Amino acid sequence: MSKFFSEKFNKLTPYVPGEQPKERQYIKLNTNESPYPPSKKAVEYAEKQSKMVMLYSDPDQKALTEAVAKELGVGADCVIMTNGSDEVLNFAFMAYCDDSHPAVFADITYGFYKVFASVNNVPYKTIPLREDFSIDIEEYLNEQGTIFIANPNAPTGLTIPLSDIRRLLEKNPNRMVIIDEAYVDFGGESAVSLVGEYDNLLVTQTFSKSRSMAGARLGMGIANPQVIRDLNTLKYSLNPYNVNRMTAGAGIGAIEDRDYFVKNVNEIIKTREQTAKELESLGFSMTLSKANFLFIKHDKIGGEELYLKLKEKGVLVRHFNDPKIVEYNRVTVGSPTQMQAFISAVKEILEELL
Ligand code: PMP
């Protein structure tokens, strides 16, 4: 770091995104992207908007916000559109965490939460998952901080029921609860339906996974209008044009093309279930994932060894060094062809061990 870098960032360890290798063509199952291209309508609308980029994008994102609100069955004043859901999550750390409201989240969850806490200089506390990686909601009921729960959780893919979220919201009416639903479309139960009932709930979602738009960076927050106003105060204090024209156009196209979205999500769920079955028959154990990835381990080969051997064979999966999950790998559900290649590589690796 330079001698000019502010001391307040002395201890900041940035988030490490999954590898995006350029040296070789991999079967990429490491960053939970969709194997399917964006909707044609999304591309068409983005192209149209690309011809207008001499003008700023709409800071209110009126058309996009209304389309998303209609899709989710809430009022437009209950929605904020952001540059990926990472941005709205960061806004939530800024808006709702401080020394007397530390961030509280699971010990094994989305790795960015720690970074958001750190960059915003707010304390955080982690709550251990149970042995089977499930969340024990009882452990969260008496916390004094602002709670962040990914549902489905990452990298486990496990869900908590809406009844647990309801209990949390009711038990803590004076604390914000943020439910991160990046993977909800692949089989989770959305808490958006609770937004009208609880003023302490913020739900975050993204176009990155189920709508094939990871590279466009589009996410949203859904909450009661007062919470949305807080988040807009931050947005207008940082970057009112946080969603660019092409991305906003693509977002509207993706929402209009509902059949394509449903078809892709169903395809990924089907491929997930088939891959899970095949992996089980090869001796893998795994969590009951409701996301677009599987979280797997095998007694005969360590997590890191499997990751490295798969990489040698041209298949990239995600391995984490946290001791609690070091024997596991997170494998994104790709297309059936990609998953066949992955399974073939796994079979070869297991055979080589004998
Ligand atoms: N939440 C979770 C649990 C995630 O895994 C991700 C993706 N890395 C995000 C949020 C952020 O995704 P995006 O910014 O692409 O919407």
Side-chain angles (χ1 to χ4, degrees):
M1 88 181 74
S2 81
K3 64 183 180 193
F4 311 107
F5 200 36
S6 169
E7 271 179 26
K8 66 176 181 271
F9 296 125
N10 261 351
K11 293 205 182 84
L12 182 60
T13 314
Y15 180 68
V16 183
E19 299 165 84
Q20 299 286 3
K22 288 156 198 88
E23 78 281 5
R24 171 176 173 185
Q25 193 75 18
Y26 284 98
I27 294 176
K28 241 185 120 283
L29 306 176
N30 66 329
T31 43
N32 299 340
E33 289 141 325
S34 174
Y36 303 114
S39 135
K40 288 202 176 84
K41 214 166 199 183
V43 175
E44 185 196 318
Y45 287 8
E47 268 176 3
K48 224 185 247 171
Q49 285 298 322
S50 71
K51 303 197 172 77
M52 300 289 291
V53 293
M54 64 288 191
L55 301 178
Y56 284 115
S57 57
D58 173 12
D60 291 334
Q61 287 301 338
K62 191 166 184 298
L64 175 61
T65 306
E66 282 174 1
V68 167
K70 193 163 160 237
E71 169 78 6
L72 296 176
V74 296
D77 55 355
C78 296
V79 175
I80 179 171
M81 301 306 301
T82 54
N83 192 305
S85 55
D86 280 339
E87 187 177 47
V88 67
L89 287 165
N90 186 40
F91 288 168
F93 276 84
M94 291 177 82
Y96 303 117
C97 301
D98 52 36
D99 285 344
S100 42
H101 305 87
V104 178
F105 43 85
D107 61 342
I108 305 292
T109 188
Y110 185 31
F112 223 137
Y113 297 161
K114 279 184 185 164
V115 183
F116 289 137
S118 176
V119 76
N120 289 303
N121 206 15
V122 294
Y124 67 84
K125 171 179 175 185
T126 58
I127 298 188
L129 295 179
R130 292 193 188 103
E131 199 63 14
D132 63 359
F133 299 131
S134 61
I135 285 177
D136 181 358
I137 208 69
E138 298 298 325
E139 300 247 18
Y140 291 75
L141 297 182
N142 295 311
E143 279 303 326
Q144 291 312 310
T146 298
I147 292 174
F148 292 80
I149 295 181
N151 190 34
N153 196 11
T156 64
L158 292 177
T159 55
I160 54 168
L162 277 197
S163 51
D164 277 0
I165 296 174
R166 245 183 214 287
R167 278 190 70 209
L168 190 55
L169 292 162
E170 275 168 18
K171 195 85 201 311
N172 303 289
N174 296 321
R175 279 192 291 117
M176 280 301 292
V177 173
I178 292 89
I179 305 294
D180 173 353
E181 296 189 348
Y183 301 102
V184 75
D185 294 327
F186 302 104
E189 207 183 349
S190 176
V192 165
S193 58
L194 305 183
V195 156
E197 275 177 73
Y198 300 98
D199 65 359
N200 54 337
L201 170 65
L202 167 64
V203 180
T204 65
Q205 291 191 3
T206 181
F207 280 61
S208 293
K209 324 286 176 183
S210 54
R211 294 184 199 265
S212 305
M213 280 177 48
R217 314 302 303 126
L218 186 60
M220 60 269 207
I222 306 105
N224 78 81
Q226 281 185 356
V227 166
I228 297 299
R229 269 197 292 277
D230 299 339
L231 303 174
N232 269 316
T233 299
L234 293 174
K235 171 185 132 164
Y236 278 86
S237 305
L238 290 158
N239 182 7
Y241 313 108
N242 60 338
V243 176
N244 72 64
R245 279 185 171 270
M246 282 83 77
T247 295
I252 294 172
I255 292 282
E256 285 181 12
D257 205 351
R258 185 155 224 292
D259 291 351
Y260 183 71
F261 156 75
V262 171
K263 177 170 143 270
N264 286 344
V265 163
N266 287 337
E267 193 63 33
I268 287 167
I269 293 172
K270 197 167 107 196
T271 310
R272 179 183 71 206
E273 300 310 311
Q274 277 165 355
T275 309
K277 240 187 241 159
E278 288 194 64
L279 287 169
E280 267 162 6
S281 73
L282 293 171
F284 280 88
S285 50
M286 67 199 72
T287 50
L288 186 65
S289 172
K290 295 287 176 191
N292 67 338
F293 53 79
L294 291 164
F295 193 54
I296 64 168
K297 100 174 197 214
H298 199 289
D299 285 344
K300 301 275 182 312
I301 183 166
E304 188 173 19
E305 192 183 352
L306 178 63
Y307 158 76
L308 289 171
K309 291 205 156 148
L310 280 168
K311 192 169 177 186
E312 257 171 45
K313 291 184 187 294
V315 181
L316 260 193
V317 298
R318 186 88 196 250
H319 181 256
F320 301 89
N321 287 324
D322 187 308
K324 209 165 162 179
I325 54 172
V326 75
E327 296 308 336
Y328 282 79
N329 279 290
R330 191 195 69 192
V331 183
T332 303
V333 177
S335 67
T337 316
Q338 286 177 315
M339 299 323 275
Q340 272 156 25
F342 160 69
I343 293 282
S344 301
V346 166
K347 278 184 183 160
E348 278 175 30
I349 292 165
L350 292 177
E351 275 159 22
E352 284 161 17
L353 286 180
L354 297 173

